[in-house]
Amino acid sequence: MIQINHIVFKIVALVLLSLFTSNANAQNFDINSLRDINLKRDKSLDPTFKLFTNSVAPISIAAPVVIYSIGCLNKDVDLKKKGIYIGETFLVNAFVTTALKYSVKRDRPYVTYPEIDKQTSGGSGSFPSGHTSDAFATATSLSIAFPKWYVITPSFMWAGAVGYSRMDLGVHYPTDVLAGAIIGSGSAYFCYKLNHWMNKKSNKSIFFEGNKKSEITKSK
């Protein structure tokens, strides 16, 4: 458990370091990169990027619910564990992301720089990107639960498109998106290692710990 806590600490420290080290240079890079992405974008693609942005909550919530439900219907214990694991990842990621948002309290780019063209809603603090962290938490947990190319490739393509959409639509800096990707993927890895540790502690496979065949993978 100490090792797991150490991993989480290193992830959070890296995220905070990316924000506060050489802050002036980082801020210049952030806003200059965002201006290039947001102000020079192809506006005809705005509806597509809005679709990616708006897909995060439905997919992130539906993924564990659907997988767990299929496991119940098929009486597949391993599949149910995978659904619970993906749900755990979603909750851990939401907690860490929300805590950082209210701790850092970074203003949205369109607040500090009025020239940024905001094309979608932006809620609480800018750092880190919640949409990006949710997307990468879902993509990484799905990839760990189902380590097949036809799961991994589209999952991370979708997560990457979500992250880019948050910059294209003017609601996040690049470092917000980078931090969100790290936190989301880190949450999935943390939950995976935690489940593995709890299985070892109990001397039996109660929780998901990866690479076990289930009905959904057999049917592919």
Side-chain angles (χ1 to χ4, degrees), residues 86-151:
I86 295 167
E88 290 169 351
T89 297
F90 177 79
L91 294 175
V92 168
N93 172 72
F95 174 79
V96 174
T97 299
T98 303
L100 280 173
K101 277 181 176 289
Y102 284 98
S103 298
V104 177
K105 297 180 181 178
R106 188 184 200 184
D107 287 335
R108 295 276 177 166
Y110 54 80
V111 173
T112 308
Y113 302 96
E115 71 271 23
I116 295 299
D117 185 13
K118 174 191 172 190
Q119 286 295 310
T120 190
S121 60
S124 54
S126 187
F127 183 89
S129 168
H131 282 73
T132 306
S133 70
D134 284 345
F136 274 88
T138 301
T140 306
S141 58
L142 280 170
S143 299
I144 291 173
F146 306 103
K148 303 290 185 180
W149 70 266
Y150 47 78
V151 175

Side-chain angles (χ1 to χ4, degrees), residues 149-199:
W149 70 266
Y150 47 78
V151 175
I152 297 169
T153 301
S155 293
F156 280 103
M157 287 180 67
W158 167 71
V162 168
Y164 188 85
S165 76
R166 303 307 286 166
M167 297 180 290
D168 185 87
L169 299 174
V171 290
H172 279 293
Y173 295 102
T175 49
D176 298 338
V177 172
L178 175 61
I182 292 170
I183 292 165
S185 296
S187 297
Y189 184 72
F190 167 75
C191 289
Y192 167 70
K193 296 300 287 185
L194 179 63
N195 284 349
H196 182 70
W197 178 80
M198 292 178 76
N199 282 335

